[in-house]
Amino acid sequence: MQTVLPGIHVTQVRTERLTANVIERPGAGPVVVLIHGNVSSSLFYQPLMLGLPEGIRALAIDLRGFGDSEVLPVDGTRGLRDFADDVASVLDVLGTGAVHLVGWSMGGGVVLQLLLDRPDLVASLTLESPVSPYGWGGTTADGTILNGGAGSGGGGGNPGFIAALKAGDRSDSPTSPRTIYRTTYVKHPEGIEHEDLWVESMLTTATGVDNYPGDATTTDAWPGFAPGTRGVLNTMTPDHLDLTGIVDADPKPPILWLHGADDVIVSDASYFDLNLLGSIGAVPGWPGAEVAPPQPMVTQTRAVLDRYRAGGGRVTELLVPDCGHSPHLEAPEVFTAALLEHIGA
């Protein structure tokens, strides 16, 4: 099927790190750079890009192992730095200078890592349903790591879903990308166009121990696995990812945080959190809330951003009602208006 919408240009950018696929809606004004999340690609951002005012230059970059970018191993021990360094290398080749960065889900963590490592590239940040600054799974509200991060990392991938990605499954079977999109990416899938395109985007995900989901180690702690060192899910384990250093960033670019009120992926009760699934009986053997409490992802993000604000940074939070994990798809007018106000366009 045709995956590139009219008005979007595609280019391959060669850097010293990788060959990256970049899609663009040209413009001569401010530069907005959009970074997708896990099991997706730049294709998800096309309607948003086309809906921006004509003067804005909008770029979306496929991360390694996603979309049409080069498939390269992901070093989980570096947190999200492999991805962030790749994005920085693309922006350096393109000569953009400081840009307005938008990061969705895992991409929200990538742009925060850019703030830590390459502040010269950051004019502003927009975090859309971002991963917690403390990573994914296995932490208390203050970021304390529980049981060595048991239940986080590559072992947390759903085998049926991984098999469906690998097989290019376009059906509506229970573990297919289409079903995962309909039940977790958005709240009201029937009201959103281009579903086939979103499925194609998800199917670009490279699978395996070096990509999605990654590897795992065994542990005596419930549920029996702990973080590995390779692949996508291990970039976000609490022993590998800590983005709280943003509170000491100098300067502090303005941050816009948008998230859906009914997000089931990134929330204080995430259905992708093994501890939450254990607490409701979906995963047997849960040892109880004193040992393995669900991760309060939104509470963690708010606490860190409150510290960022207390240190002199400007933070705007927008909770989008009746919306799931993808405000840019589910509430595009709200998202666009908030983004344009944020960047002063």
Side-chain angles (χ1 to χ4, degrees):
M1 64 171 291
Q2 181 66 38
T3 58
V4 179
L5 300 179
I8 298 293
H9 299 179
V10 183
T11 186
Q12 292 277 301
V13 177
R14 294 183 181 273
T15 81
E16 61 182 10
R17 293 183 54 82
L18 83 168
T19 298
N21 188 68
V22 180
I23 65 173
E24 178 174 1
R25 204 296 307 274
V31 180
V32 173
V33 175
L34 305 121
I35 306 300
H36 65 83
N38 194 12
V39 192
S40 63
S41 76
S42 62
L43 297 177
F44 266 92
Y45 272 127
Q46 291 180 96
L48 174 67
M49 296 167 72
L50 293 169
L52 293 174
E54 290 187 2
I56 291 177
R57 182 186 182 192
L59 304 167
I61 301 170
D62 285 333
L63 301 176
R64 62 170 63 193
F66 297 95
D68 287 325
S69 283
E70 191 174 358
V71 177
L72 293 172
V74 177
D75 183 351
T77 67
R78 301 189 72 229
L80 291 167
R81 280 191 172 89
D82 272 0
F83 296 131
D85 288 350
D86 290 346
V87 171
S89 73
V90 171
L91 298 182
D92 285 341
V93 168
L94 295 177
T96 60
V99 299
H100 299 286
L101 286 161
V102 178
W104 174 34
S105 196
M106 181 180 78
V110 174
V111 301
L112 287 175
Q113 190 66 62
L114 275 166
L115 174 58
L116 290 171
D117 297 341
R118 290 293 306 274
D120 57 301
L121 293 176
V122 184
S124 74
L125 292 173
T126 297
L127 308 177
E128 179 186 10
S129 311
V131 62
S132 165
Y134 293 110
W136 191 278
T139 55
T140 62
D142 66 0
T144 300
I145 299 176
L146 297 162
N147 306 312
S152 66
N158 182 313
F161 179 54
I162 296 163
L165 287 173
K166 189 173 182 178
D169 184 356
R170 295 170 176 79
S171 74
D172 57 0
S173 65
T175 57
S176 71
R178 188 179 303 276
T179 297
I180 298 303
Y181 161 76
R182 289 175 177 174
T183 57
T184 65
Y185 281 39
V186 295
K187 184 179 180 182
H188 299 293
E190 67 280 357
I192 301 173
E193 292 185 293
H194 306 300
E195 179 176 284
D196 288 344
L197 178 54
W198 312 146
V199 172
E200 292 303 314
S201 175
M202 295 170 73
L203 288 172
T204 67
T205 303
T207 58
V209 294
D210 282 320
N211 297 102
Y212 180 81
D215 65 352
T217 58
T218 58
T219 177
D220 291 335
W222 182 90
F225 69 87
T229 61
R230 302 158 63 189
V232 173
L233 293 187
N234 291 308
T235 66
M236 293 178 283
T237 59
D239 56 338
H240 296 150
L241 185 66
D242 181 357
L243 300 168
T244 61
I246 64 167
V247 303
D248 297 317
D250 184 18
K252 289 181 168 65
I255 293 177
L256 170 63
W257 174 30
L258 300 104
H259 55 117
D262 303 307
D263 190 346
V264 299
I265 297 179
V266 175
S267 78
D268 283 357
S270 169
Y271 284 91
F272 288 72
D273 177 6
L274 266 291
N275 289 358
L276 183 283
L277 294 176
S279 74
I280 62 174
V283 178
W286 183 60
E290 289 187 2
V291 176
Q295 181 188 8
M297 302 176 185
V298 172
T299 295
Q300 290 176 333
T301 296
R302 183 172 293 113
V304 172
L305 292 182
D306 282 348
R307 290 166 57 195
Y308 186 89
R309 183 186 292 112
R314 177 165 63 85
V315 178
T316 302
E317 178 183 353
L318 178 58
L319 181 65
V320 185
D322 198 31
C323 178
H325 188 59
S326 313
H328 75 281
L329 293 181
E330 301 173 78
E333 294 181 358
V334 172
F335 189 101
T336 299
L339 174 62
L340 293 178
E341 180 178 1
H342 177 57
I343 67 175

